[in-house]
Amino acid sequence: MANDTTAEVEGTPPKWADIEAAGNIRNWVDAELERRGLRDPGVDTSRLSDKQRKAYKAKREEERRVRRVLQGQAWQVYRQNHLVHVGVGVWYHDTADIDRWDIAGIDERRELNELPELKDVHALAKALELPIPKLRWLVYHREVDTGTHYQRWTVPKRSGKGVRLISAPKPTLKRCQTWVARNITEHLPVHGAAHGFLTGRSTVTNAAVHAGARVVVKFDVKDFYPTVSFRRVKGMMRKAGYGEQVATVLALLTTECPRESIELHGRTHYVATGPRSLPQGAPTSPSITNALCLRLDSRLTGLARKLGFRYTRYADDLTFSFHGAGKIPVGRLQKAVADIVKDEGFIIHPHKTRVMRKGGRQKVTGLVINGAPEGAAKARVPRKVVRELRAAIRNRELGKPGKGESLEQLRGMAAYIHMCDPAKGKAFLDRINALSS
């Protein structure tokens, strides 16, 4: 009888809607025991005969067995519908309550930015088209993990000194991050001085602002993406109009620890070497930094105006240019920029500040901005790049091997020139297309 009852219970998993209707797991378990006639009514066993006491004891043992089975089933169903836990050191609660840290007018703020309404993690999972267990798998934080949601590799830095780590999300996470970028982070306010990764803006629009300057001063923010921590991203999401629960999950989706792979007992382990921060290579990282730098850009724009400079930012490159007459306050600018950047949670790289005067080559985001001939673009691709492309195309036309560039590489170089000088770029593209016909 006991085995039959237990088998019957094990074969009928509950529905979360039934547990929710009961109020909680304990109430649902008690109701199920009651329905099966196993609920202990509270009997004074001292008044029972030995035979009755033996039957009562057997019934109680059956109740305990069935209770354990029901509680185990209910817990499994709970985990299918709740994140429960998202990792050691990450505060998370499955109840999406309003708390004292929520900003005033949270719904109005979200509507102002035209962001989707996400009341809780279930709404977020539905928007991402993910079941809760899959979402938990994506966001769960571990200091040591046997798997990773990112492909990692290094590329040489533009300076030629050192390498830059690229962390590209794998397909499932990339799809989720793309949704977050398109629907949330790309809708957040951005300052007009920002030119990186924005529609209608580019390295060309960034450089053109500074064309014809007497002096150009460039600063580089050190460890730009690694400085944007999980806590900063979570705070930004809360200010955007999301509650504690959703903001936590969004921040976990868009950040990751730097990791080192270690082989142990024939298995690869990925060990965290620092706190969670924005990975360079994630589709959400550029729009998050642009939104987070809103106040930084506003303060630096005010400083530039006060000292007679123009200011733009392209990712972690801060550029100031002076176009007026009189003494140029470069020293005051450098000190003030360092102070403001530090106050906003970043650090200026001490060895990458450049002061470029009118008499020498002035380059901003890889483009030359001084000495433009009559009718030439204000911001131009360096002559060296143009000469290299011209020579590569000519070698192809003559049947010479050249440096082994592919047609796609040549098209990329031509497209880069086309961005600054459409006429010259089109001429190169036409010659490259003729090579492939």
Side-chain angles (χ1 to χ4, degrees):
M1 175 68 178
N3 290 337
D4 292 343
T5 305
T6 303
E8 178 189 351
V9 174
E10 289 177 342
T12 55
K15 296 179 180 179
W16 176 246
D18 296 334
I19 299 174
E20 212 169 20
N24 54 45
I25 291 176
R26 182 174 181 177
N27 290 348
W28 177 80
V29 170
D30 288 343
E32 285 295 302
L33 290 171
E34 188 77 42
R35 187 172 67 83
R36 288 170 168 80
L38 293 173
R39 182 79 183 276
D40 184 2
V43 176
D44 184 358
T45 57
S46 65
R47 298 185 178 183
L48 300 178
S49 66
D50 289 344
K51 184 176 180 180
Q52 289 172 326
R53 192 178 294 113
K54 185 177 180 180
Y56 177 77
K57 182 179 179 181
K59 186 177 180 180
R60 296 288 66 78
E61 288 176 355
E62 175 66 2
E63 178 197 6
R64 285 191 288 272
R65 278 197 298 268
V66 175
R67 182 182 290 275
R68 286 195 295 270
V69 173
L70 291 173
Q71 287 176 335
Q73 288 181 340
W75 176 244
Q76 289 300 319
V77 173
Y78 186 92
R79 282 179 56 83
Q80 291 293 319
N81 291 271
H82 298 81
L83 291 185
V84 185
H85 182 54
V86 290
V88 176
V90 182
W91 192 94
Y92 175 83
H93 197 282
D94 272 315
T95 303
D97 291 330
I98 296 174
D99 63 40
R100 64 193 180 98
W101 299 111
D102 285 336
I103 61 172
I106 188 169
D107 292 329
E108 291 79 3
R109 177 72 66 89
R110 189 186 63 252
E111 290 170 3
L112 181 64
N113 292 326
E114 299 182 345
L115 306 182
E117 181 180 2
L118 301 170
K119 289 293 186 183
D120 54 30
V121 72
H122 295 91
L124 176 60
K126 183 178 180 181
L128 295 174
E129 299 180 352
L130 288 176
I132 290 292
K134 194 68 170 279
L135 179 59
R136 179 170 55 242
W137 173 69
L138 284 178
V139 304
Y140 200 92
H141 170 74
R142 292 182 177 86
E143 292 296 316
V144 179
D145 206 345
T146 55
T148 175
H149 295 297
Y150 290 85
Q151 299 281 2
R152 293 177 172 85
W153 66 89
T154 58
V155 296
K157 292 185 177 180
R158 283 186 303 176
S159 63
K161 299 178 181 178
V163 295
R164 190 183 304 278
L165 175 66
I166 303 298
S167 301
K170 293 179 180 178
T172 302
L173 180 58
K174 183 178 181 180
R175 180 180 64 80
C176 294
Q177 289 180 342
T178 300
W179 186 93
V180 173
R182 299 284 164 75
N183 294 277
I184 298 177
T185 56
E186 290 178 1
H187 289 257
L188 298 177
V190 176
H191 197 276
H195 286 258
F197 314 104
L198 292 166
T199 302
R201 301 184 191 182
S202 63
T203 55
V204 177
T205 61
N206 181 68
V209 171
H210 307 286
R214 289 176 59 197
V215 167
V216 175
V217 186
K218 287 174 54 180
F219 301 88
D220 181 88
V221 178
K222 186 178 181 182
D223 299 327
F224 188 49
Y225 283 152
T227 304
V228 182
S229 64
F230 164 81
R231 292 182 64 184
R232 294 180 75 172
V233 177
K234 178 179 174 180
M236 185 198 74
M237 294 298 184
R238 299 203 68 179
K239 288 182 180 179
Y242 292 113
E244 170 77 26
Q245 186 192 70
V246 172
T248 299
V249 177
L250 286 172
L252 287 169
L253 272 174
T254 56
T255 60
E256 169 63 327
C257 296
R259 294 184 182 272
E260 183 176 335
S261 60
I262 297 175
E263 294 292 331
L264 186 63
H265 303 305
R267 193 172 187 182
T268 303
H269 293 74
Y270 300 90
V271 182
T273 58
R276 294 184 76 97
S277 59
L278 292 182
Q280 183 155 354
T284 42
S285 295
S287 52
I288 288 175
T289 51
N290 277 337
L292 275 171
C293 287
L294 177 62
R295 194 171 74 166
L296 170 68
D297 291 335
S298 180
R299 293 182 67 182
L300 292 179
T301 297
L303 171 68
R305 188 178 297 116
K306 179 180 178 181
L307 298 180
F309 285 83
R310 298 177 186 176
Y311 163 72
T312 63
R313 180 181 60 81
Y314 192 95
D316 57 351
D317 290 334
L318 315 178
T319 306
F320 295 80
S321 59
F322 191 90
H323 298 251
K327 186 177 179 180
I328 306 173
V330 173
R332 287 178 61 192
L333 175 73
Q334 289 177 307
K335 183 180 185 308
V337 168
D339 290 343
I340 291 174
V341 169
K342 183 179 180 180
D343 192 42
E344 292 297 324
F346 296 99
I347 299 175
I348 293 295
H349 199 297
H351 306 301
K352 291 190 176 181
T353 299
R354 298 286 182 269
V355 179
M356 298 171 287
R357 301 189 180 276
K358 191 173 183 179
R361 168 70 64 91
Q362 294 175 328
K363 285 177 66 177
V364 175
T365 48
L367 302 174
V368 178
I369 60 169
N370 62 336
E374 186 67 29
K378 292 182 178 180
R380 308 172 306 286
V381 175
R383 293 175 184 172
K384 180 182 178 183
V385 176
V386 177
R387 286 197 297 266
E388 287 177 351
L389 176 59
R390 184 180 287 115
I393 295 174
R394 185 58 178 165
N395 284 333
R396 283 278 189 146
E397 290 172 338
L398 296 175
K400 296 180 180 179
K403 295 182 179 179
E405 304 94 341
S406 68
L407 287 178
E408 286 306 310
Q409 288 175 313
L410 297 182
R411 283 194 183 94
M413 294 173 66
Y416 182 48
I417 294 171
H418 185 276
M419 186 172 60
C420 304
D421 189 335
K424 184 178 291 185
K426 184 179 183 304
F428 282 133
L429 285 169
D430 288 343
R431 291 174 65 186
I432 294 169
N433 291 333
L435 290 171
S436 59
S437 60

